[in-house]
Amino acid sequence: MQELHDAPLAPLTTFRLGGPAARLVTATTDAEVIAAVREADADGTPLLIIGGGSNLVIGDKGFEGTALRIATSGFELTGTTLELAAGEVWTDAVARTVEAGLAGVECLAGIPGSAGATPIQNVGAYGQEVSSTITEVIAYDRRAGETVALTAAECAFSYRHSRFKADPDRYVVLRVRFALEDADGLSAPLKYAETARALGVEPGERVPLADARETVLKLRAGKGMVLDPEDHDTWSAGSFFTNPILTDADFAVFHARVKERLGDGVEPPAYPAGEGHTKTSAAWLIDKAGFTKGYGDGPARISTKHTLALTNRGAATTEDLLVLAREVVAGVREAFGVTLVNEPVTVGVSL
């Protein structure tokens, strides 16, 4: 187990932002992860868990405690059952399932980060969410002081949310188990219209697994959502804001604001989100509030490829990023009465 002091954290995040950690521990086995967590808990030391760093906004002052980087490895495929160690690189794991001819996560290709983070956020994109294939999460329960196995139902998955996100200081994910599908080399039925359109098929149809993965990678790359150290549009946390889910009453008020601001002929995106609720598009709200692609003139700007991504143009600080994020939140609220919520986890700072 490697240990460093006054260790830079910015290189461990896709934003490449944030100050140092007082102590950085890198664990390569589950036993090392548990030992580091137990030590911090016994000493009352603040603990920051880092996986792929793709969903973290760390303050410029850094972290006064122990940062635990989970670098465990393990890809075990038995029939259609997949078990991943928390430290496995997610997009590499997706590629391996496609090579194995198994469907279920192929449209989650290109998402940066580690496998252990996927159940926390209930990672989803292009019509798939990990909650549809996860069967069990093995985690260390800091409250009970023991390793536990949580079924998918016990994980309480919902849109970009889970039991782990609701109680962030309790569980440390160690392993994730998935039930994939053998569909003779074909993908799961395509649910996302953009993906189906790009593949020249109708939603609900299946396509060869490799075609689905490659198409998603191209779509993501076109939006700056595939990591590329040479492209500052990818120096981000992907989608910075979640899509708002509004009650029917709130959506009616929002709809009226849209007509008032943009005219009778403009209809905002609206998707069913459970009884009495409607989901709308954060990207649409940001754009229509005047924050277009490339917005900003400082070291932190909106991506030139996608309005949902806030980016570090190479010389930004975390405070630069937060100033931009606050401006966007305030602008959307003023224009449409909807308050955007950040998707990345903030450490030592807040919007």
Side-chain angles (χ1 to χ4, degrees):
M1 187 159 56
Q2 184 187 66
E3 180 175 332
L4 299 172
H5 295 271
D6 196 27
L9 293 180
L12 302 181
T13 75
T14 52
F15 264 124
R16 295 168 170 82
L17 295 177
R23 177 172 177 256
L24 172 64
V25 172
T26 298
T28 58
T29 67
D30 289 354
E32 289 181 352
V33 171
I34 293 170
V37 173
R38 283 178 171 165
E39 179 187 359
D41 289 347
D43 295 342
T45 303
L47 183 67
L48 171 63
I49 306 296
I50 299 178
S54 61
N55 203 46
L56 276 180
V57 177
I58 299 173
D60 292 317
K61 292 183 179 179
F63 185 69
E64 285 296 327
T66 295
L68 171 59
R69 178 172 171 260
I70 297 180
T72 54
S73 60
F75 179 102
E76 185 177 336
L77 192 57
T78 306
T80 57
T81 299
L82 172 66
E83 180 175 293
L84 293 177
E88 282 288 327
V89 176
W90 173 252
T91 193
D92 292 349
V94 172
R96 292 178 69 177
T97 66
V98 170
E99 290 171 3
L102 297 177
V105 294
E106 61 280 358
C107 290
L108 302 178
I111 294 177
S114 63
T118 60
I120 297 171
Q121 284 288 113
N122 185 17
V123 163
Y126 294 96
Q128 288 184 342
E129 289 182 328
V130 291
S131 57
S132 65
T133 51
I134 286 177
T135 58
E136 196 170 48
V137 174
I138 310 302
Y140 177 69
D141 184 342
R142 297 169 67 182
R143 189 177 303 167
E146 62 184 14
T147 300
V148 296
L150 301 172
T151 65
E154 290 171 326
C155 292
F157 291 122
S158 60
Y159 173 67
R160 299 298 178 274
H161 201 68
S162 69
R163 178 176 186 170
F164 311 105
K165 191 172 180 180
D167 196 357
D169 295 327
R170 179 168 181 180
Y171 298 101
V172 178
V173 175
L174 301 173
R175 296 184 173 269
V176 188
R177 292 175 180 152
F178 302 81
L180 303 178
E181 179 189 8
D182 185 348
D184 295 323
L186 297 179
S187 68
L190 298 174
K191 296 181 180 179
Y192 201 68
E194 183 183 16
T195 313
R197 189 164 54 248
L199 283 158
V201 300
E202 294 296 319
E205 292 187 40
R206 296 176 185 262
V207 297
L209 277 165
D211 292 353
R213 175 178 175 270
E214 287 303 317
T215 297
V216 165
L217 286 173
K218 289 177 182 177
L219 290 172
R220 290 187 64 87
K223 299 173 184 178
M225 297 292 184
V226 177
L227 294 182
D228 179 353
E230 302 302 316
D231 182 0
H232 285 288
D233 278 334
T234 73
W235 289 33
S236 74
S239 299
F240 195 87
F241 300 103
T242 57
N243 290 322
I245 296 178
L246 307 175
T247 65
D248 288 346
D250 287 341
F251 188 84
V253 173
F254 161 60
H255 193 263
R257 290 283 287 270
V258 170
K259 289 188 176 298
E260 178 184 332
R261 183 180 176 91
L262 304 177
D264 289 338
V266 178
E267 288 293 328
Y271 311 98
E275 186 175 353
H277 291 81
T278 300
K279 180 168 67 176
T280 192
S281 165
W284 187 92
L285 287 165
I286 292 167
D287 181 72
K288 297 304 181 185
F291 303 100
T292 53
K293 295 173 184 176
Y295 177 88
D297 55 9
R301 304 177 197 173
I302 290 178
S303 166
T304 65
K305 301 181 181 73
H306 200 298
T307 52
L308 257 186
L310 307 188
T311 66
N312 171 11
R313 307 316 293 184
T317 64
T318 300
E319 186 56 30
D320 292 327
L321 175 75
L322 295 175
V323 167
L324 175 62
R326 291 166 187 145
E327 183 184 1
V328 172
V329 170
V332 168
R333 185 189 298 119
E334 181 180 357
F336 299 112
V338 176
T339 300
L340 295 176
V341 176
N342 53 289
E343 185 168 337
V345 175
T346 55
V347 178
V349 291
S350 65
L351 292 191

